[in-house]
Structures are given as C-alpha cells and as structure tokens.
Amino acid sequence: MECLITLVLLTCLLSWAAPSFNQLLDSRKVIRFASELVGLTYLAKSEAIYRNQNLWLHLPNSTSSDSWSISLNTGQESDAETISLLSGEPYRTLVIESTYQDNQIKFYPRRGKVASGNVTFYSSLQPDKKLKLITSYSAGRVRLCSVTGSSYGYTEC
C-alpha cells in the first residue's frame, strides 16, 4: 500500500513538473539559437572584410519543415560556395520571420557594413516571447533584443 501511495504521489509531481521542464528546454533552445545566429552574423562581417568580397547569409523561406538551415555563401545563388552552415534540426520548434529582400542578408567588405533589416524568431510553443536580430547598414551594427518586454535575458528593442 505504501508503494502504491508513493507511486501515485510521484506521478502527480511529474505530471505537474513536466510542462515547466518542457518550457525550460524550449527557452534554452531559443537562447542557444540566438547566440549562434549572432555569432554567424559576426563571422559573416569578418569574412566579408577578410575576403574583400560581398557575402550573403541565406535565411530559410519557411521553418515549417525539419530540414531548414541558414548558410553563409559567397553569392546570392544557392549553388555558391558555402562558408558556414547553421542547421535548423535542433531548432525544429522555432519560427523565423525576415524583412530582408529574398531572405538574404548582404555583407559588404567595406568597414563590415551589413544590409539593414531584421530577423524575428520565436518558439512555436511560446509565441509571446520573441527575439529580434536587427542590422543597420549605416553603422554596420548588429543588435539582438526582445520584441515584447524583457525575454530570455535580452532587453526590449
């Protein structure tokens, strides 16, 4: 009888804790993706200067499939040389929205300039917590901030 009561109590505790644990894992995915996206953006700026040529960061047209990726290429075409690739497989629950023309961020070799625009991303499990990567051509600035309040440790835009 004691084992049965213990088992019932453990089941109740686990059913109560499971949603919180899933949200925690999902939040960690968003934070890790944010870090990797910013790192890839800084890599693109550095590579454009180092190679003295324009580079393009190709964003996914849709994140609804399991096989999306973000690639840094030497050209606008998909068959151009790939310098770096960020796989979307670990980030299946993420939704990515872009304001860049043709979902491509252009990096210029002159002083690390980058095309102006933004990429908004969020977890489909927590759509009210959005992060935004903003780039500015005039300053060559890359900034990551939260769209709604302070989310994931980032300040509001």
Side-chain angles (χ1 to χ4, degrees):
M1 190 65 158
E2 290 175 8
C3 286
L4 184 61
I5 292 172
T6 304
L7 196 61
V8 169
L9 286 174
L10 282 175
T11 305
C12 289
L13 283 174
L14 285 175
S15 65
W16 176 74
S20 298
F21 187 69
N22 283 340
Q23 281 187 334
L24 176 68
L25 288 176
D26 196 55
S27 294
R28 296 304 310 161
K29 280 184 187 179
V30 173
I31 292 168
R32 193 172 82 222
F33 178 76
S35 176
E36 289 194 32
L37 183 61
V38 168
L40 186 58
T41 305
Y42 284 127
L43 171 70
K45 286 178 64 160
S46 299
E47 280 292 316
I49 294 168
Y50 176 73
R51 292 171 181 246
N52 197 28
Q53 72 180 87
N54 293 332
L55 297 179
W56 285 264
L57 197 61
H58 296 266
L59 301 168
N61 291 328
S62 170
T63 54
S64 59
S65 70
D66 288 342
S67 61
W68 62 269
S69 64
I70 299 176
S71 63
L72 176 60
N73 294 2
T74 57
Q76 286 182 282
E77 303 79 28
S78 57
D79 62 344
E81 176 193 354
T82 300
I83 298 169
S84 186
L85 187 69
L86 174 58
S87 172
E89 187 165 333
Y91 310 108
R92 291 186 196 134
T93 59
L94 288 187
V95 177
I96 300 174
E97 300 165 350
S98 167
T99 63
Y100 297 98
Q101 183 178 4
D102 299 326
N103 284 335
Q104 297 178 1
I105 306 174
K106 185 176 181 181
F107 295 86
Y108 302 87
R110 188 168 180 219
R111 289 186 265 153
K113 297 283 186 173
V114 58
S116 294
N118 65 69
V119 178
T120 304
F121 55 95
Y122 57 93
S123 170
S124 59
L125 304 176
Q126 299 180 51
D128 56 322
K129 295 173 116 184
K130 297 181 180 183
L131 293 181
K132 184 184 283 191
L133 177 84
I134 303 170
T135 60
S136 170
Y137 175 79
S138 59
R141 183 176 178 194
V142 176
R143 179 175 172 222
L144 186 64
C145 55
S146 173
V147 175
T148 52
S150 180
S151 298
Y152 304 111
Y154 292 96
T155 58
E156 190 170 8
C157 298

